[in-house]
Amino acid sequence: MNDAIWAGTISVAGHENAELEAYLARPLGEEPRGGVVVIHHMPGYDEASKEIVRKFAAHGYAAVCPNLYSREGAGVSPDDQAAAARAKGGIPDEQLVGDVAGAAAHLNGLDHANGKIGVIGFCSGGRQTFLAACSLQIDAAVDCYGAFVVNQPPAESGMKVTSLLSKAPDLSSPLLGLFGADDSFPGPEEVAVLAAELEKLGKEHEFHTYPDAGHAFFAVDRPSYRPAAAVDGWKKIFDFYGRHLSA
Amino acid sequence: MCTYLTQKIELDGAAKGAAGWFTLSDGAVYVDHPYHATHEHTLNIDFTNPGEGPSARVAVELTEEAALALVEAIQKALAAAPPGLASGAHARAAS
């Protein structure tokens, strides 16, 4: 078995052909494999996001995380890019969809790609994963505690974010949702509304809400980390992608 | 949780960032996950000048207690000085 991987910074063409910095990791083996687009959280394109990309490659997928804040300037540190993007109210949904489409196309253009694409996102990236899965043809989506899929954000937030519930009929793939019972964004009631809507629409989904876990329970570098939830969550993610991203 | 709530203010002054001093024009204040502090949530302040690009930024991440202590210290310092001494209107009138 060859478990070696390659990982490093590349460029991908995003929305309206914008050049985006991106972090790619892929196995060096010759086996056909699915691709995973990783959508980073609101604090930006950070070390933790790159670690997640490498984790997927170590499990046999080609994975890429586009820096959604690339437009804030090359050579600008990711935390400054994130602060600048936040001050502008975040990134437009249309731009996000174009960026994910570009990242997915890049993965499908790699040697040994089997044509299957998964998307996963954390925090604001969880909402954006749902958006991408309702806007693009993908094969498996994983929403990790994304807020404002159902509820509108507070009016005073200034964020360019709206509820996505009306897009649910367009969900193109099975959806795995991983949530913390102690989270408020999204709170358990928001998760329940989304589950009921997907049930009503006959959309394949699998939601898990972990007790004693709040927002960002996967984040190993933050006090919010909850090992029991994160370990089981990763198992569920790889099981889910194993079923849906195989050739 | 991500609060997504950001208080934005116009600022008049200067700050020293990674590339040296720059003139401040904007600020953002929000309670959310920090980038660097090892707390789950912090009160974050960005002192910025978007006109000079995203790198013209001084970032501060404070605990709630530290943030409130800072507010109190700012108010005490201003109260201890003659009214208007550090006023932007005063500075402009004098220049």
Side-chain angles (χ1 to χ4, degrees):
Chain A
M1 175 190 169
N2 178 2
D3 63 355
I5 65 170
W6 181 93
T9 301
I10 60 162
S11 290
V12 300
H15 183 62
E16 294 179 336
N17 228 20
E19 183 180 340
L20 305 181
E21 178 182 15
Y23 189 76
L24 172 75
R26 58 177 173 77
L28 290 178
E30 306 276 315
E31 302 79 17
R33 53 193 164 243
V36 177
V37 178
V38 176
I39 304 180
H40 61 67
H41 56 171
M42 205 153 94
Y45 175 78
D46 57 5
E47 289 297 318
S49 303
K50 293 178 179 180
E51 183 66 40
I52 290 166
V53 171
R54 290 192 294 270
K55 189 176 183 81
F56 281 111
H59 281 257
Y61 298 93
V64 69
C65 177
N67 180 354
L68 302 175
Y69 305 148
S70 292
R71 294 169 182 83
E72 300 304 331
V76 175
S77 68
D79 60 319
D80 287 343
Q81 290 177 326
R86 183 188 184 106
K88 293 174 187 167
I91 58 172
D93 281 350
E94 182 187 333
Q95 179 179 305
L96 177 280
V97 171
D99 287 355
V100 172
H106 184 89
L107 290 173
N108 274 335
L110 295 174
D111 289 346
H112 315 298
N114 71 2
K116 299 285 182 76
I117 292 292
V119 177
I120 184 170
F122 302 80
C123 179
S124 56
R127 175 186 176 278
Q128 290 166 331
T129 291
F130 187 80
L131 172 67
C134 293
S135 309
L136 303 168
Q137 186 58 51
I138 64 166
D139 300 289
V142 183
D143 165 8
C144 299
Y145 33 79
F148 309 126
V149 172
V150 171
N151 296 345
Q152 295 288 356
E156 64 273 24
S157 75
M159 302 299 289
K160 295 173 193 157
V161 164
T162 55
S163 166
L164 299 173
L165 200 59
S166 65
K167 294 184 185 292
D170 299 326
L171 182 64
S172 67
S173 76
L175 177 69
L176 173 64
L178 301 171
F179 307 99
D182 300 337
D183 200 346
S184 305
F185 294 95
E189 70 294 336
E190 186 174 0
V191 173
V193 170
L194 180 58
E197 181 69 10
L198 296 176
E199 196 67 43
K200 192 180 84 184
L201 293 167
K203 297 290 184 181
E204 187 178 344
H205 64 286
E206 178 185 335
F207 282 9
H208 301 276
T209 298
Y210 293 97
D212 191 34
H215 199 74
F217 61 79
F218 277 110
V220 294
D221 56 348
R222 293 170 184 269
S224 55
Y225 182 57
R226 293 293 178 274
V231 168
D232 188 73
W234 278 117
K235 189 165 171 287
K236 290 194 161 51
I237 290 166
F238 287 115
D239 177 64
F240 182 73
Y241 278 165
R243 281 183 278 129
H244 296 292
L245 299 185
S246 304
Chain B
M1 58 186 254
C2 290
T3 67
Y4 288 81
L5 299 173
T6 305
Q7 310 294 329
K8 295 170 77 171
I9 47 172
E10 284 183 19
L11 294 176
D12 184 358
K16 194 171 184 182
W21 284 96
F22 62 95
T23 300
L24 285 176
S25 63
D26 291 76
V29 182
Y30 48 97
V31 174
D32 214 326
H33 303 293
Y35 193 88
H36 187 81
T38 54
H39 298 281
E40 199 155 334
H41 297 92
T42 47
L43 182 285
N44 306 323
I45 309 173
D46 290 327
F47 299 95
T48 62
N49 183 339
E52 292 192 17
S55 299
R57 170 177 177 252
V58 171
V60 179
E61 299 174 339
L62 302 171
T63 62
E64 188 172 319
E65 294 82 359
L68 291 171
L70 176 64
V71 169
E72 194 181 337
I74 290 172
Q75 288 177 336
K76 278 185 183 170
L78 288 173
L85 188 66
S87 163
H90 173 82
R92 275 191 290 276
S95 63

